[in-house]
Amino acid sequence: MAPFISWARELKAKPYPGLKADMYYCVNTKEDAVNLHDFKVLESDDFRVRLICADTDGFLKAEDIENLEDRDIYICGPKGMLESLLKGLKKQGVDKDRIQYEDFDFI
């Protein structure tokens, strides 16, 4: 989560004209969202946090992401989430050059 907190802080301190960022913070339960407060205090017109709890909302799917056709996508999460989102983004026609991801998983 550290890189995303850093990006959000930078965006709050130095807005980028025309840049609108939504962060989909995916957790199993709301109690697992230990960094939610850090992100909420950084929210602005240019940066919004969307909490997705698997136990109440299900897993994030590509079709859940608003304005997908206008987005650059950055993904960090477990292998299953990454594979599912990449498959969904491809199905939605998102150019692979607009998708950046970090392969992250617990051993």
Side-chain angles (χ1 to χ4, degrees):
M1 298 307 298
F4 295 103
I5 293 172
S6 179
W7 287 343
R9 285 183 181 145
E10 182 178 341
L11 187 59
K12 180 113 179 173
K14 181 182 164 191
Y16 292 79
L19 177 67
K20 301 287 184 191
D22 289 334
M23 188 185 106
Y24 291 81
Y25 189 2
C26 302
V27 293
N28 288 320
T29 67
K30 188 172 184 176
E31 292 75 30
D32 294 334
V34 295
N35 296 105
L36 184 60
H37 175 74
D38 296 322
F39 287 114
K40 285 294 189 182
V41 298
L42 296 170
E43 278 190 306
S44 68
D45 291 339
D46 297 326
F47 175 72
R48 296 182 301 171
V49 177
R50 299 176 181 269
L51 182 63
I52 308 295
C53 299
D55 66 340
T56 57
D57 306 313
F59 293 111
L60 177 66
K61 297 178 287 308
E63 55 266 21
D64 297 332
I65 301 171
E66 295 178 10
N67 304 312
L68 190 56
E69 63 280 354
D70 298 327
R71 301 276 180 171
D72 288 324
I73 310 291
Y74 298 87
I75 306 169
C76 181
K79 186 175 186 170
M81 177 183 148
L82 176 61
E83 289 173 348
S84 175
L85 283 173
L86 290 174
K87 182 178 178 182
L89 292 168
K90 181 178 180 180
K91 186 176 179 181
Q92 295 288 323
V94 177
D95 187 312
K96 66 180 180 177
D97 292 335
R98 292 186 24 233
I99 304 169
Q100 305 294 320
Y101 61 89
E102 183 173 323
D103 198 2
F104 170 85
D105 215 344
F106 294 104
I107 296 175

